[in-house]
Structure formats: C-alpha cells, structure tokens
Amino acid sequence: MTTVSRRTFNKTLTKAIGGVALMSTMPMACALPDTQKKGLGVALVGLGTYSTYELAPSLLETTHCHLAGIVTGTPEKEKIWKEKYNIPEDNIYNYDTFDSIVTNDAIDIVYVVLPNAMHADFCIRAAKAGKHVICEKPMAVSVTECEAIIAACKKANVKLSVGYRLHSEPHTQEIQRFAREKTFGKVTYIATEAGYPSNGFPNQWRLNKALSGGGALMNMGVYAIQGAIYGIGENPISVRAQEFSTNPAYYKDTDETITAQFEFPSGAVGSIFTSHNAKADRLYASCEKGWYELDIAYTYGPLHGRTSRGDEITFPHKRQQALQMDDFALHITQGAPNKVPGSMGLRDLKIVEAIYKSIKEGGTKIPLNLG
Ligand code: NAD
C-alpha cells in the first residue's frame, strides 16, 4: 500500500472494527447496469474492509466476472450495497440463508472474506451449494481445515482458489520468472519481510486467536512465506523459528513478531520476518550472478523493485484483485491454469504449523515434507 492508501486503510480499519465498514467513506464507485455485467457472477461473503475497499471496487474493473451477490450478517449493509452495486434482492443472503444460494444461477463463485476461523465453514457450505470457491488468506486456521475445504470442493467438483492476489500481479510474476529461468543464476539466499503495526485496536479479531488462528504469522506472515517460495521457486525442506514480544499485554493472545529460517533443496537458505508491530514490505534474492528485490512487495501496489543489472522492475498498475478474480474466472471458463490452487493454501498452513511448533520447542529445526 502507498502511504496515502495505508492512511485510508487505517482509517477504514477503525470503522470496520466498530462492526460496520461504512460505505459512505468508500471511494465513489458506479454500479454497472445489468446489461453490461460480464462473465461469471461473484458473491462476496463478509462485507468488511477488504470486500468494501478492494474486492467490490475491483469487481467493477474485471472483464470475466462481476459482483452478483452479497452475504452479510449486518442487515444495514444489505440496502447500502444493493443500491451502490445494483444487486438484485434475490442475490442477497445472510449467514443463515446462505445455503439457499444453491438454487441461484446468477452466482457462480462464492468469495469468502470472513475472519480466518470462519473460512472453512463457509467454503465447505459454498462447495456443497455447487459454487466455485475463492477463500481468503490464510486459507484456514489449521492444516486439517484446509484439507476439509479441498475435499469438499473435490467432492462437489467445483474449483477452488486462495486469495493470494500477487500471483496475478506483474512485478511478482517478473520475480517468479527470474526464479524459474535463473536469470541471475541460482538463488543462494532469500529474505522476505511482511508486516504492519496493528496497535491501537485491542478488540480486533486479528488479535483474537479463536477468530484469527494466530497473529502476525497468520496475517502478513503467510505473504512472507509466499514471497520466500516464489522468490526462489522451491518449497523449503526445513524451518526454525523464533517469537519476539515487546508488548505482551497488548499482544496477549497472538504472536506479535516472528522470524524464521528456511533450508531449500538446492542448498539455498532463506529468512522471513513478520510483525504486527513493525512495518515491513520487502523481498530480496541474492543469486550466484546478481540479485533482485521488490521493496514494495506485498501491499496493494503499485509494487516496485530493481535488479543488480541496474534496471527498475516497474509495470503499469492495475488493481491486483481484479487481475486475480479474472484469472480465476478464466480458469473456470477456459481451463487456464489455476494460479493459486487450494494445495498452495494447504502448503502454507503446513509451514505455519511447523513455525509455531518450532517456537514452542525453543527454535528446533522442523523438517518439512511439502513435495
Ligand atoms: P474485517 O474485520 O474488515 O471484516 C470482517 C467481516 O467479517 C466483517 O464484515 C464482519 O462483520 C464479518 N464477521 C462475521 N463474523 C464476525 C466475527 N465473529 N468477528 C468479526 N467479524 C465478523 O476483515 P477484513 O480485513 O475484511 O479481512 C477478512 C478476510 O480477508 C481475512 O481472512 C483476511 O485475512 C483477508 N484479507 C486478505 C487480504 C489480502 O491481501 N488478500 C487483505 C485484507 C484481508
């Protein structure tokens, strides 16, 4: 996120934590008339900060899908969203009526944007209703839950993706290309950092383990894990981890800051940093013949980076979430690759669980068998 959008984010976070992300603070958005709605219909489940300020506006920019429905536990939001996005009454659900979405042909994809501990329940219900599923990150709060989501989607023969928007983002795709083609030789060391301060809002669900499954690691830490893996193009084979707390009274239920070190099959090593108390947004890969880095690596963009050749990594900015949802729609309709399959969300939860295990055991090395 830029400085300006970070400020907007913090402002809107305050409101969302109050329970209702008020649409009146939203950037102006014009709903498309029905005749211009293209592609697959998406229903957003959970109309908090991310749906309000990123996903719904992005769905006005998509080509292969559009905002068709909403699922909310807050009745006041129904009318506001209905008017703002021209959503038919029949496509509006609450958490109790959600399962009746099975009969609604206008909804093809259900996008679950709820607190992490609610992902599995709603993704499984969406699959049972025969809808394709996008599950926000982290995919769930445990490996077991991720496996249950994958099994439900498989059983229902529906497609599943995780909300790792950066796989559709051009700067990130350039980093993935460097790793794949070994443009600067083999990566020997990778360092990734992702975090932001979340102080000032002690009642937010992200600090409540029952709803979040964990703190910084579950929130931005999964991005640091992602970056370490796509920045080198390999899955790690072991991890050691440490936890730090400067304010245990505030971060009493969830982790404040975590560092972890990976070993990769190629012999490369990596380190990740994540925090709910420090701003961090970087990916750096040291290679045999040079280096590449993104020093805005994980936020909503525009991202930015450079390489040891002296060139800038820079591409025109588009909303990452619009690119992400269009890619998933093309996967469903045209068999394009699923850039973020459920197996990727599951892999990351295996790493998350190993990191928490290592911390519990005083930083021991935990082997990873991720294939
Ligand atoms: P938020 O707090 O702004 O919104 C959460 C929504 O869930 C609200 O509409 C709230 O009413 C609803 N909700 C239902 N039951 C709730 C409960 N028991 N407690 C709290 N809220 C409840 O959160 P958000 O920032 O929109 O995050 C939602 C999901 O999206 C999370 O899984 C988060 O990790 C993910 N997310 C992903 C990205 C990304 O970059 N991919 C960015 C932000 C959030």
Side-chain angles (χ1 to χ4, degrees):
M1 256 180 281
T2 61
T3 312
V4 173
S5 59
R6 166 70 60 194
R7 224 177 289 130
T8 311
F9 174 80
N10 285 336
K11 209 169 85 187
T12 56
L13 180 67
T14 317
K15 298 191 171 79
I17 288 159
V20 180
L22 297 172
M23 301 288 279
S24 57
T25 62
M26 248 177 87
M28 282 299 288
C30 298
L32 294 173
D34 285 343
T35 47
Q36 284 178 28
K37 288 183 176 172
K38 288 191 225 139
L40 302 180
V42 177
L44 296 175
V45 187
L47 307 179
T49 313
Y50 196 55
S51 286
T52 303
Y53 299 100
E54 300 301 330
L55 296 178
S58 294
L59 282 161
L60 296 173
E61 295 181 13
T62 42
T63 310
H64 304 289
C65 54
H66 64 273
L67 180 58
I70 52 172
V71 184
T72 177
T74 312
E76 305 90 286
K77 291 182 187 170
E78 291 182 11
K79 186 170 177 288
I80 300 169
W81 279 69
K82 178 178 150 82
E83 284 170 11
K84 192 138 204 150
Y85 288 104
N86 197 17
I87 296 171
E89 192 68 44
D90 286 352
N91 298 358
I92 299 176
Y93 299 87
N94 61 41
Y95 300 144
D96 296 327
T97 61
F98 172 60
D99 303 288
S100 63
I101 206 166
V102 65
T103 59
N104 191 332
D105 290 341
I107 312 289
D108 304 286
I109 298 171
V110 165
Y111 195 151
V112 177
V113 203
L114 291 162
N116 310 337
M118 300 172 75
H119 290 182
D121 179 25
F122 279 84
C123 288
I124 291 167
R125 287 165 68 183
K128 281 185 178 159
K131 306 301 175 186
H132 303 292
V133 179
I134 309 178
C135 176
E136 251 320 317
K137 49 62 50 182
M139 185 170 168
V141 295
S142 69
V143 166
T144 308
E145 283 190 355
C146 293
E147 287 170 342
I149 296 171
I150 292 170
C153 290
K154 194 171 170 203
K155 187 168 177 203
N157 199 21
V158 296
K159 308 286 189 190
L160 168 64
S161 185
V162 182
Y164 288 132
R165 55 194 153 73
L166 292 165
H167 288 264
S168 298
E169 195 281 328
H171 300 75
T172 306
Q173 289 174 336
E174 184 73 341
I175 293 294
Q176 290 171 327
R177 186 178 72 79
F178 292 158
R180 193 172 55 246
E181 297 179 2
K182 301 195 174 17
T183 312
F184 298 88
K186 253 175 60 179
V187 179
T188 49
Y189 171 63
I190 183 133
T192 65
E193 300 153 12
Y196 65 85
S198 66
N199 30 16
F201 308 107
N203 296 324
Q204 60 181 295
W205 65 262
R206 283 184 172 84
L207 302 183
N208 175 347
K209 193 168 179 210
L211 285 168
S212 62
L217 185 62
M218 281 291 194
N219 187 13
M220 293 304 285
V222 290
Y223 274 115
I225 291 169
Q226 280 269 308
I229 294 174
Y230 60 64
I232 186 168
E234 297 173 65
N235 285 334
I237 51 173
S238 78
V239 67
R240 290 181 171 88
Q242 307 79 34
E243 181 177 354
F244 302 87
S245 184
T246 60
N247 189 354
Y250 183 78
Y251 301 99
K252 55 181 180 293
D253 201 28
T254 54
D255 42 285
E256 175 189 324
T257 296
I258 283 179
T259 55
Q261 303 79 43
F262 293 128
E263 290 175 306
F264 292 93
S266 61
V269 292
S271 75
I272 66 161
F273 169 92
T274 188
S275 180
H276 263 163
N277 195 30
K279 190 165 185 278
D281 189 358
R282 183 167 172 264
L283 178 159
Y284 171 79
S286 173
C287 314
E288 285 173 332
K289 292 188 274 176
W291 51 264
Y292 45 90
E293 72 177 348
L294 293 176
D295 60 4
I296 301 177
Y298 304 109
T299 38
Y300 303 146
L303 303 193
H304 180 257
R306 62 192 69 77
T307 78
S308 53
R309 288 186 302 223
D311 46 6
E312 303 285 308
I313 304 171
T314 175
F315 293 92
H317 180 62
K318 281 192 81 171
R319 275 185 184 271
Q320 299 164 359
Q321 295 84 356
L323 297 170
Q324 168 212 336
M325 289 186 277
D326 266 345
D327 275 346
F328 186 54
L330 287 175
H331 169 60
I332 294 166
T333 56
Q334 296 182 23
N338 186 354
K339 292 195 166 124
V340 191
S343 55
M344 193 184 282
L346 167 64
R347 176 201 66 190
D348 293 355
L349 256 292
K350 286 181 178 168
I351 296 171
V352 163
E353 288 192 353
I355 287 174
Y356 283 134
K357 183 167 192 275
S358 174
I359 290 167
K360 203 169 162 196
E361 294 178 0
T364 54
K365 175 166 152 176
I366 308 294
L368 292 164
N369 189 6
L370 304 169

